[in-house]
Amino acid sequence: MVFKSKNFCIVLSSPSGAGKTSISRRLLKKDKSIALSISCTTRPRRRGEKNKNDYIFITDEQFDKGIKKNEYLEFAKVFGYRYGTLKQTVINIFNKKKDALFDIDWQGYQQLKQSNLEVVGIFVLPPSKKELVKRLKTRARDTKKEMKKRMNLVQNEISHFPEYDYVVINKDLEKCVEQITCIIESERLKKSRLIDLTKFVNRFRI
Ligand code: 5GP
């Protein structure tokens, strides 16, 4: 007998440069019972990004409208732009009987935890400061001033790790994805999430 598990939210947060995007991509490829929650953002589209695939790119006015209509499950300002998760996006994922994967920051995570949804928070850390600086440098043509600003933001983000249920260090991508897969599998096996468990156990009564 295989039990179905109640669907839940998996939040991945990390400072930029910790490899969260690569992790999400691998997870989605590996586990077809997970779907990515695609956020809305007011930040401009980067090269290679597709609307509705990476983000739903909207204007400030559209974002404001959504807030007024209470359409967001959570929203926050990150690096000067606004990001948010639409309630409808998560409803659609749960309707497909999938778990929802969120690539959002600590502010969004805090709001999700206050909602009535079941949330599992995973914080991804880079293996060392040296490696983090290296990754940040290869990511952009940053000036020294810009790098310092980013490092400060990274430190602020990292200070929120105690609020998460799990912390994973991304030294080796494959290993990290494997560990997160184990976390998700264990969370699915939680007694409270197993649908029809009591009904099944009751069959053993004599
Ligand atoms: P980027 O613009 O580099 O894709 O993302 C910048 C930051 O915004 C990342 O830390 C990412 O996790 C966060 N982010 C992306 N979407 C959302 C969202 O819907 N809500 C919140 N709170 N943060 C988000």
Side-chain angles (χ1 to χ4, degrees):
M1 166 108 190
V2 180
F3 293 110
K4 288 224 166 67
S5 165
K6 254 185 252 162
N7 290 121
F8 56 99
C9 305
I10 306 150
V11 175
L12 280 189
S13 296
S14 77
S16 62
K20 198 175 34 172
T21 312
S22 314
I23 296 170
S24 308
R25 284 202 192 117
R26 300 253 173 155
L27 283 173
L28 292 164
K29 212 170 156 194
K30 205 172 163 188
D31 187 339
K32 298 296 170 202
S33 300
I34 300 174
L36 182 68
S37 161
I38 297 174
S39 305
C40 294
T41 184
T42 60
R43 91 147 157 72
R45 192 144 52 105
R46 289 185 192 134
R47 227 189 190 178
E49 283 182 333
K50 282 195 192 126
N51 189 31
K52 297 189 182 161
N53 198 20
D54 297 284
Y55 282 105
I56 302 163
F57 294 96
I58 57 173
T59 62
D60 262 310
E61 292 71 36
Q62 286 171 313
F63 208 102
D64 280 334
K65 244 189 204 165
I67 293 174
K68 255 194 204 144
K69 287 163 116 181
N70 196 23
E71 285 176 347
Y72 289 99
L73 186 57
E74 63 77 32
F75 60 90
K77 204 165 198 176
V78 191
F79 306 135
Y81 293 106
R82 294 198 286 173
Y83 295 81
T85 308
L86 290 171
K87 290 176 185 168
Q88 195 55 49
T89 301
V90 184
I91 292 171
N92 292 348
I93 293 174
F94 286 165
N95 280 346
K96 288 184 196 145
K97 306 266 181 281
K98 293 194 180 202
D99 297 317
L101 179 68
F102 297 76
D103 171 342
I104 60 174
D105 82 330
W106 61 272
Q107 305 174 80
Y109 173 61
Q110 284 187 349
Q111 294 170 52
L112 269 194
K113 287 231 293 188
Q114 278 161 21
S115 73
N116 56 3
L117 295 173
E118 290 203 33
V119 184
V120 176
I122 305 170
F123 197 85
V124 182
L125 280 175
S128 65
K129 191 175 170 192
K130 200 173 148 202
E131 184 62 25
L132 176 71
V133 172
K134 201 172 113 197
R135 289 185 195 175
L136 284 180
K137 271 187 185 158
T138 49
R139 182 170 276 215
R141 323 117 263 155
D142 294 323
T143 59
K144 265 197 176 155
K145 199 176 149 202
E146 186 63 25
M147 273 298 287
K148 193 151 188 267
K149 198 173 125 198
R150 279 187 187 225
M151 280 306 284
N152 285 338
L153 287 168
V154 162
Q155 255 165 34
N156 180 38
E157 184 84 32
I158 288 181
S159 72
H160 289 277
F161 83 90
E163 295 148 31
Y164 288 74
D165 302 302
Y166 300 90
V167 176
V168 175
I169 297 169
N170 185 14
K171 185 160 193 266
D172 172 81
L173 182 62
E174 297 305 329
K175 180 98 204 282
C176 184
V177 171
E178 198 185 306
Q179 286 177 335
I180 296 177
T181 305
C182 287
I183 293 171
I184 297 170
E185 281 302 326
S186 310
E187 288 289 337
R188 283 181 181 147
L189 287 173
K190 271 202 171 149
K191 196 175 64 192
S192 58
R193 294 216 171 93
L194 295 179
I195 300 166
D196 287 341
L197 174 65
T198 314
K199 214 165 128 190
F200 177 72
V201 173
N202 279 344
R203 288 194 202 152
F204 296 97
R205 285 164 69 173
I206 43 171

